[in-house]
Each structure stands twice: as structure tokens, then as C-alpha cells.
Amino acid sequence: MRGSLWQLGQSITRRLSQADKKAVARRYFASEADLKKTVLFDFHVAHGGKMVPFAGWSMPIQYKDSIMDSTVNCRENGGLFDVSHMCGLSLKGKDSVSFLEKLVIADVAGLAPGTGTLTVFTNEKGGAIDDSVITKVKDDHIYLVVNAGCRDKDLAHIEEHMKAFKAKGGDVSWHIHDERSLLALQGPLAAPVLQHLTKDDLSKIYFGEFRILDINGATCFLTRTGYTGEDGFEISVPSENALDLAKAILEKSEGKVRLTGLGARDSLRLEAGLCLYGNDMEQHISPVEAGLTWAIGKRRRAEGGFLGAEVILKQLAEGPSIRRVGFTSTGPPPRSHSEIQDEKGNNIGEITSGGFSPCLKKNIAMGYVKSGLHKAGTKAKILVRGKAYDGVVTKMPFIPTKYYKPS
């Protein structure tokens, strides 16, 4: 889904307050019958969730509070997100690591069991098919989550390469976890609230680590990760237990952790400088251009062995022609596709995500500019509705991350 979710949420809120609500509802929710629903759909609606189409699903963009308030509350207290539209899957077999390494840039073999990393599935030209968080559960079991909007193409891509790999005698199989739901609990209260619901000591699980454990009476896959820049967890729970878990989390937080929608999720990830696939990463953008060089394992830089490695290793050696950077700006918030110019009016790039930061109370954005113009402090002009406004290249993340790491 292109464009800002925050922008869509604001648009729906405005229209619902200004116009004939039934007419607006028809326009935005006309295809509701065709949309998939998570097991928490009725729970969202009962809590005032404004449901919108997203990647083929009916998802809450916000609840009764504003996207601004919801974003701030997640950073100050906590937010609970239903992200069950995303696709979790497991690869199993003694060759699952070597198989996956043909498709992603990560040093999967180098991961210790129970740890994971952000990675990118690449194509033959070095472009990004999708980004994903992958975890080595054991040497013969990989768990990964791919984006909802990329599910069909990702699964087709993995399956095509798996068939060829198995035909040559490789031992790998997969299971798509459609029997599970996925909840993200983010913010400073995430750990203390979740600790009430499990006997395992969460203080011993650090950022990027994975465990299979009992939470609220259900066997869950727990990863200490998220998409907000805050400490938090993604919890894969059997779908029949998802509603009870969501209720228990909200209850144990005594109202401080709130249900939080996709609108605030978009604001939070932008403040954290994180990419949204389809906006900030696409098939023609490489991990090097996207600023994800750190995700290319040291061994992989030396050996290659993944799709598009020749292009990516050349970019590592010579530098990419464009780079993803952050911006702050004056005037109206920049949006996806806003043109970036130098001070003489020459085109130097394009905004891919932008909005008003609820926590910083100013415009923030990210986009791609020509190499050499990517240094922090570089002044630029950003075009919004045909008018140029002052912008400056700014280091990301815009808000410091608070990941839970060993001290």
C-alpha cells in the first residue's frame, strides 16, 4: 500500500466528521466483503477501531483516540498492535540455512540458535523483493515473518527456489503459520506487562532474541523486536488464544497500554527511521542504497552466494549512486513522491515517506538523493503541491531507539 497510513487515517477522520458518514463508509469500505479479517476483527470494532482495507485485509487504522495521541502513548506507556495480516512461516530441514542463504543477504549460518536479524530477499538485479525478520530457532529450523502486501510474491519466490533446491537433493520443507495470529506489544510497559503473563524471565531475553514459551496459557513464539524503535515483543500465538491474550495484556496494563492502529504504527516507524516496503524499499532499490549495508553479513560480503550479489558487492566496493536519507522540513509535511531539489532548483531525488512527527512536533521524512548530497546538514528544497519548502538532510533515527540490549 503506497503513501502514508497516517495521511489516510487523517483523511478518513476528516471526512467522517464533515460528510455523510454512510457515503464515506461506502467509498472506503466498498470491498469489505472481499477483505480478509483477523480473529480480532470484532474486538477491534467493539473498541472503536476504524477499519480500512490494507494489503487485502480489513485492519484498524486507529481507534477512539487520535493517531497523534496513540503514537505518543506508545512511546510513553505502550501500544498493542494486531499484525496478524503479516505472514509467519517456518523452514525446516538440515539444509534450511544453506537454502535461505541463497535468497537473503544475512549470515544465517552465523546466527546463534534463538537469535535473529532483519534481512532482505533480493532479486537477480540486487533489488529488494521484501524485507523480513528471520530467526534461527535451531540449526534445522528457521522462523521468519514477511510483509502482508508481499505475501503472494514472497511465497511464490521461495517455493520456486525450494523446488529447484530439493530437486538437487536439498533437505528443506516449509510450513506457513496460518493457524497463528501475530500481536506486537511495544513501548516501555511492554516487558513489565507481559511478565505478568509468563513464568519465563523476560529480562534474560534481549533485542533480536527468540523463545518458544508459555504466555497466558498458550504456546507462543516470542521475539524481542518491533517496528517502533521502542523495546517490545512480537508474539505469535495460536489463533484460538489470540483474543484472550489481547484482553489479558490490556487488563494487566491497567489501561496504560492501548490498542494501537496502523496509522500510529506508520508514524512510529518513520520516527524510528525504519523502511516501509512499497514506499522506501522496492524491487529496483538495493539494500546498499536503502542504507541496510549493516544487514549484509561480513561473510556474505566476502563470499556472495545470494541473488544479485554481483550488483550489491559492486555497490559496496564503489558506493551506490543514490542513498536513503532522512529530512526535516518547513511548510506542509512532505509526502511520498514529493520532489527533492538542490538550492539551485535541480532535481536530486524523491521523498518516499513523510509526515508530521507526533513526538517531535515537526515534519520528518525520508527519501533518496544522489550520492554526495546525502551528508547530514545538506540543505535542500522539497516540493509540496508545487511549492518549494526548506529541507535539511537529518540523521536517522529521528528519535533514539530504546531496544533492550545487554548493558
Side-chain angles (χ1 to χ4, degrees), residues 56-84:
W57 293 78
S58 181
M59 298 298 293
I61 194 154
Q62 67 184 103
Y63 295 87
K64 292 174 183 175
D65 53 353
S66 70
I67 289 172
M68 301 276 283
D69 288 345
S70 193
T71 301
V72 172
N73 184 69
C74 182
R75 296 217 188 278
E76 291 182 349
N77 296 299
L80 179 64
F81 305 79
D82 179 9
V83 288
S84 304

Side-chain angles (χ1 to χ4, degrees), residues 73-75 77-81 184-190 223-234 257 265 268 403:
N73 184 69
C74 182
R75 296 217 188 278
N77 296 299
L80 179 64
F81 305 79
L185 176 59
Q186 301 284 294
L189 294 182
T223 312
R224 196 152 197 164
T225 188
Y227 193 47
T228 63
E230 297 295 318
D231 181 28
F233 304 89
E234 289 188 355
V257 171
R265 186 171 159 85
L268 289 156
Y403 302 133

Side-chain angles (χ1 to χ4, degrees), residues 87 131 140 155 177 185 262 270 280 321:
C87 177
D131 56 341
D140 61 353
L155 296 185
H177 290 290
L185 176 59
L262 294 178
L270 181 56
D280 314 301
S321 60

Side-chain angles (χ1 to χ4, degrees), residues 149-383:
C150 299
R151 174 184 169 127
D152 291 346
K153 72 169 181 178
D154 287 359
L155 296 185
H157 176 72
I158 294 168
E159 186 173 35
E160 177 192 350
H161 286 274
M162 189 184 295
K163 282 180 179 177
F165 186 81
K166 292 173 78 169
K168 294 178 181 176
D171 176 26
V172 63
S173 61
W174 67 346
H175 174 74
I176 300 160
H177 290 290
D178 286 339
E179 79 286 356
R180 287 183 165 268
S181 295
L182 191 63
L183 302 179
L185 176 59
Q186 301 284 294
L189 294 182
V193 167
L194 196 63
Q195 190 63 76
H196 288 297
L197 302 174
T198 182
K199 292 177 182 175
D200 289 75
D201 185 354
L202 298 179
S203 71
K204 294 178 179 175
I205 303 174
Y206 295 103
F207 177 71
E209 294 186 346
F210 172 96
R211 300 285 187 276
I212 297 175
L213 43 75
D214 184 290
I215 300 175
N216 201 45
T219 301
C220 296
F221 303 163
L222 183 75
T223 312
R224 196 152 197 164
T225 188
Y227 193 47
T228 63
E230 297 295 318
D231 181 28
F233 304 89
E234 289 188 355
I235 311 160
S236 173
V237 55
S239 289
E240 64 268 25
N241 304 115
L243 179 59
D244 285 345
L245 178 56
K247 287 179 177 177
I249 288 170
L250 296 177
E251 182 185 321
K252 292 296 182 185
S253 81
E254 298 177 340
K256 290 182 178 178
V257 171
R258 295 185 206 156
L259 286 171
T260 310
L262 294 178
R265 186 171 159 85
D266 194 51
S267 296
L268 289 156
R269 69 93 195 166
L270 181 56
E271 290 178 340
L274 301 173
C275 291
L276 173 64
Y277 191 89
N279 277 45
D280 314 301
M281 289 177 70
E282 296 198 63
Q283 301 262 14
H284 61 279
I285 298 288
S286 79
V288 181
E289 293 166 338
L292 298 177
T293 299
W294 61 268
I296 307 171
K298 187 176 179 182
R299 177 176 61 83
R300 310 308 307 275
R301 297 183 199 195
E303 298 175 3
F306 50 88
L307 292 173
E310 188 177 329
V311 174
I312 289 171
L313 297 185
K314 186 179 180 186
Q315 286 184 349
L316 285 173
E318 300 176 2
S321 60
I322 60 172
R323 296 174 189 261
R324 180 173 67 96
V325 295
F327 282 96
T328 52
S329 68
T330 61
R335 301 299 183 196
S336 179
H337 301 306
S338 293
E339 182 182 344
I340 306 168
Q341 299 179 343
D342 64 17
E343 292 191 286
K344 295 178 181 177
N346 302 307
N347 180 298
I348 58 168
E350 183 178 274
I351 296 295
T352 52
S353 287
F356 183 78
S357 164
C359 297
L360 296 175
K361 303 292 188 286
K362 62 182 179 182
N363 297 339
I364 58 172
M366 65 173 80
Y368 286 83
V369 297
K370 294 175 182 177
S371 281
L373 301 171
H374 64 281
K375 301 282 171 58
T378 302
K379 293 180 179 179
K381 298 289 184 183
I382 300 175
L383 267 60

